[in-house]
């Protein structure tokens, strides 16, 4: 079997889908994208196509090695995301060839279903208490919200009080048994993060996510002194080499690699195994589309330290299109009591509605994240 064609589809709300065709009629789908840089990643995928077309799609490890190590400059969000989407599509082909879900080819299932959580509150969180109630009523056992709006290096206690009040409102609304993930989104600098994590302690978050930017991970050791809450990070980190030092330091409790950014399914499986050796959980990042989510669930199913999965149904980014719109059978992502059952169909376990993909690709998108500024005019982290 040989790869014959790569085709990319930029579809709303902010996604990029990849279809890989073979000379035996088996096709695979992947999701190579950096949110806000879809065209850049698409160019990287096509630049790699000379090393892909005509090759055997079954040799996934070799393909990764060629695409990753064959370039003198490697890693980072663009190149790693391009490789990730290609690799996902190759696993989709391999699973369909063997008539097995990907997780069966990676050691088999170690669970029957995977817990998922739902987003509440948007970029600038408001009405979070009522929103959390609605998600619990829908069956979710965990929610996640942004902790704050923009914060300066040193900022007012009023902003801290407002952030804590919102989180307190969510805990009061949904009770003590529902998990609350609190995403700092890299918006908070070390000095303010120490204050906020300490104030959050009484509300017992499920985890505190990206309390500082990943380029400031050395600050996590100090921040951890101020809280017993589990600390999570990793959505903006790439490949096992990017996670190596963080895992060895033993500072974090949960890592959150993104299977459309970190290197794909097998690379993230290796990262998960490294984390397991350090007694660290994995909760893959996935505010993306159905292909990325399917890839995550294949990983979760065969990774014993995967404890919960992010998913984007109804997320604030999904304006104009949503997670289920591109599937022939949306019921594969049916959430029951806060869980989703294993995807047992061959490959990634989903069937893409190609007609819908082509229709929406004609519309396309030009999604960009907002640029925020502080009151003094300096650029703020979004």
């Amino acid at each position: 079997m040989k790869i014959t064609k790569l085709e990319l589809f930029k579809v709303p709300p902010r996604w990029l889908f990849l279809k890989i065709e073979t000379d035996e009629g088996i096709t695979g789908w992947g999701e190579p994208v950096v949110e806000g840089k879809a065209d850049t990643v698409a160019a990287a995928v096509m630049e790699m196509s000379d090393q892909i077309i005509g090759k055997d799609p079954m040799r996934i490890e070799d393909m990764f090695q060629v695409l990753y190590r064959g370039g003198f400059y490697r890693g980072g969000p663009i190149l790693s995301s391009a490789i990730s989407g290609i690799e996902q599509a190759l696993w989709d082909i391999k699973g369909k060839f063997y008539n097995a879900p990907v997780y069966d080819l990676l050691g088999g299932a170690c669970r029957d279903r995977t817990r998922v959580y739902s987003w509440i509150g948007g970029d600038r969180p408001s009405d979070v208490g009522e929103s959390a109630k609605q998600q619990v009523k829908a069956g979710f056992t965990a929610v996640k919200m942004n902790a704050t709006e923009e914060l300066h290096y040193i900022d007012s206690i009023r902003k801290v009080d407002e952030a804590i009040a919102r989180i307190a409102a969510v805990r009061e609304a949904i009770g003590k048994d529902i998990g609350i993930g609190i995403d700092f989104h890299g918006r908070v600098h070390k000095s303010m993060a120490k204050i906020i994590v300490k104030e959050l302690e009484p509300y017992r978050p499920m985890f505190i996510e990206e309390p500082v930017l990943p380029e400031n991970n050395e600050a996590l050791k100090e921040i951890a002194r101020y809280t017993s809450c589990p600390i999570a990070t990793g959505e903006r980190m790439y490949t096992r080499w990017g996670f190596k030092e963080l895992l060895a330091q033993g500072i974090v409790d949960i890592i959150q690699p993104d299977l459309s950014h970190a290197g794909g399914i097998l690379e993230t499986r290796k990262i998960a195994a490294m984390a397991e050796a350090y007694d660290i959980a994995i909760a893959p990042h996935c505010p993306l589309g159905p292909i990325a989510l399917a890839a995550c669930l294949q990983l979760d199913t065969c990774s014993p330290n995967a404890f919960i999965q992010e998913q984007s149904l109804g997320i604030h980014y999904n304006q104009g299109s949503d997670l289920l719109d591109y599937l022939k059978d949306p019921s594969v992502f049916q959430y029951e009591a806060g869980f989703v059952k294993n995807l047992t169909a061959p490959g990634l376990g989903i069937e893409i509605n190609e007609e819908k993909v082509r229709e929406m690709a004609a519309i396309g998108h030009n999604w960009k994240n907002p640029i925020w500024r502080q009151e003094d005019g300096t650029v703020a982290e979004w």
Side-chain angles (χ1 to χ4, degrees), residues 257-280:
D258 188 310
L259 274 72
S260 282
H261 301 328
I265 296 172
L266 182 57
E267 183 65 13
T268 311
R269 182 66 191 94
K270 293 174 182 178
I271 294 168
M274 291 167 64
E276 185 183 3
Y278 287 100
D279 202 24
I280 293 171

Side-chain angles (χ1 to χ4, degrees), residues 107-127:
C110 65
R111 70 183 76 245
D112 302 318
R113 56 184 186 160
T114 298
R115 190 182 180 199
V116 293
Y117 65 80
S118 181
W119 264 92
I120 59 170
D123 267 348
R124 296 182 181 276
S126 61
D127 299 324

Side-chain angles (χ1 to χ4, degrees), residues 211-326:
V212 291
L213 289 165
E215 50 261 50
N216 297 327
N217 274 346
E218 71 281 353
L220 294 174
K221 185 175 183 180
E222 184 175 356
I223 291 167
R225 297 189 185 123
Y226 292 83
T227 182
S228 63
C229 300
I231 293 175
T233 195
E235 69 187 64
R236 289 184 271 190
M237 298 171 63
Y238 317 103
T239 76
R240 74 201 92 147
W241 295 282
F243 281 87
K244 180 172 65 172
E245 184 177 353
L246 180 70
L247 293 172
Q249 289 172 340
I251 299 167
V252 300
D253 306 284
I254 303 160
I255 56 165
Q256 299 169 305
D258 188 310
L259 274 72
S260 282
H261 301 328
I265 296 172
L266 182 57
E267 183 65 13
T268 311
R269 182 66 191 94
K270 293 174 182 178
I271 294 168
M274 291 167 64
E276 185 183 3
Y278 287 100
D279 202 24
I280 293 171
I282 180 171
H285 179 255
C286 190
L288 295 172
I291 303 168
L293 178 58
C296 287
L297 291 171
Q298 295 294 332
L299 172 82
D300 295 329
T301 300
C302 62
S303 301
N305 56 331
F307 90 100
I308 201 164
Q309 177 60 56
E310 181 173 26
Q311 54 82 40
S312 74
L313 187 62
I315 200 171
H316 46 288
Y317 304 122
N318 293 359
Q319 301 296 318
S321 196
D322 211 332
L323 183 67
L324 306 180
D325 295 349
Y326 297 102

Side-chain angles (χ1 to χ4, degrees), residues 3 5-6 43-55 67 86:
I3 295 169
K5 183 180 179 181
L6 277 68
V45 171
M46 296 314 297
E47 201 167 41
M48 294 175 180
S49 64
D50 289 345
Q51 296 170 303
I52 297 169
I53 292 175
K55 299 299 193 296
L67 296 178
I86 293 166

Side-chain angles (χ1 to χ4, degrees), residues 63-379:
M63 187 78 73
F64 177 90
Q65 295 289 326
V66 168
L67 296 178
Y68 184 77
R69 297 172 61 200
F72 184 76
Y73 297 98
R74 56 189 69 168
I78 303 302
L79 298 179
S80 295
S81 298
I83 293 171
S84 296
I86 293 166
E87 197 260 13
Q88 292 168 4
L90 297 181
W91 278 108
D92 198 24
I93 290 168
K94 196 179 189 82
K96 290 171 181 175
F97 179 85
Y98 285 113
N99 194 34
V102 170
Y103 65 78
D104 261 352
L105 306 179
L106 292 174
C110 65
R111 70 183 76 245
D112 302 318
R113 56 184 186 160
T114 298
R115 190 182 180 199
V116 293
Y117 65 80
S118 181
W119 264 92
I120 59 170
D123 267 348
R124 296 182 181 276
S126 61
D127 299 324
V128 283
E130 184 57 36
S131 180
K133 280 184 183 178
Q134 292 172 6
Q135 296 304 333
V136 172
K137 190 177 293 184
F140 289 99
T141 62
V143 296
K144 187 168 86 171
M145 60 181 286
N146 279 311
T148 71
E149 299 184 358
E150 61 268 44
L151 285 180
H152 223 318
Y153 282 81
I154 304 295
D155 216 317
S156 70
I157 294 302
R158 174 184 58 81
K159 287 187 179 181
V160 174
D161 289 343
E162 288 172 352
I164 300 302
R166 284 191 294 268
I167 292 154
V170 173
R171 179 55 78 202
E172 183 178 355
I174 60 180
K176 64 180 182 180
D177 295 328
I178 303 297
I180 306 173
I182 300 175
D183 190 356
F184 282 40
H185 217 251
R187 296 173 182 172
V188 185
H189 298 277
K190 178 179 69 172
S191 300
M192 300 305 296
K194 291 187 295 184
I195 296 169
I196 296 174
V197 298
K198 187 175 181 180
E199 296 281 346
L200 285 175
E201 193 85 4
Y203 305 103
R204 299 192 176 178
M206 180 172 60
F207 55 77
I208 293 167
E209 179 174 336
E210 263 196 349
V212 291
L213 289 165
E215 50 261 50
N216 297 327
N217 274 346
E218 71 281 353
L220 294 174
K221 185 175 183 180
E222 184 175 356
I223 291 167
R225 297 189 185 123
Y226 292 83
T227 182
S228 63
C229 300
I231 293 175
T233 195
E235 69 187 64
R236 289 184 271 190
M237 298 171 63
Y238 317 103
T239 76
R240 74 201 92 147
W241 295 282
F243 281 87
K244 180 172 65 172
E245 184 177 353
L246 180 70
L247 293 172
Q249 289 172 340
I251 299 167
V252 300
D253 306 284
I254 303 160
I255 56 165
Q256 299 169 305
D258 188 310
L259 274 72
S260 282
H261 301 328
I265 296 172
L266 182 57
E267 183 65 13
T268 311
R269 182 66 191 94
K270 293 174 182 178
I271 294 168
M274 291 167 64
E276 185 183 3
Y278 287 100
D279 202 24
I280 293 171
I282 180 171
H285 179 255
C286 190
L288 295 172
I291 303 168
L293 178 58
C296 287
L297 291 171
Q298 295 294 332
L299 172 82
D300 295 329
T301 300
C302 62
S303 301
N305 56 331
F307 90 100
I308 201 164
Q309 177 60 56
E310 181 173 26
Q311 54 82 40
S312 74
L313 187 62
I315 200 171
H316 46 288
Y317 304 122
N318 293 359
Q319 301 296 318
S321 196
D322 211 332
L323 183 67
L324 306 180
D325 295 349
Y326 297 102
L327 298 177
K328 285 190 175 180
D329 179 13
S331 69
V332 294
F333 290 147
Q334 184 174 344
Y335 305 136
E336 298 177 0
F339 288 82
V340 60
K341 292 180 180 177
N342 294 351
L343 304 179
T344 57
L348 293 179
I350 58 174
E351 191 173 358
I352 293 295
N353 183 341
E354 187 170 336
E355 183 178 344
K356 180 69 172 180
V357 169
R358 292 185 181 278
E359 173 194 338
M360 299 305 286
I363 299 171
H365 68 83
N366 189 32
W367 189 89
K368 297 289 187 291
N369 63 254
I371 302 298
W372 287 0
R373 290 185 181 272
Q374 306 285 0
E375 293 175 350
D376 62 5
T378 55
V379 173

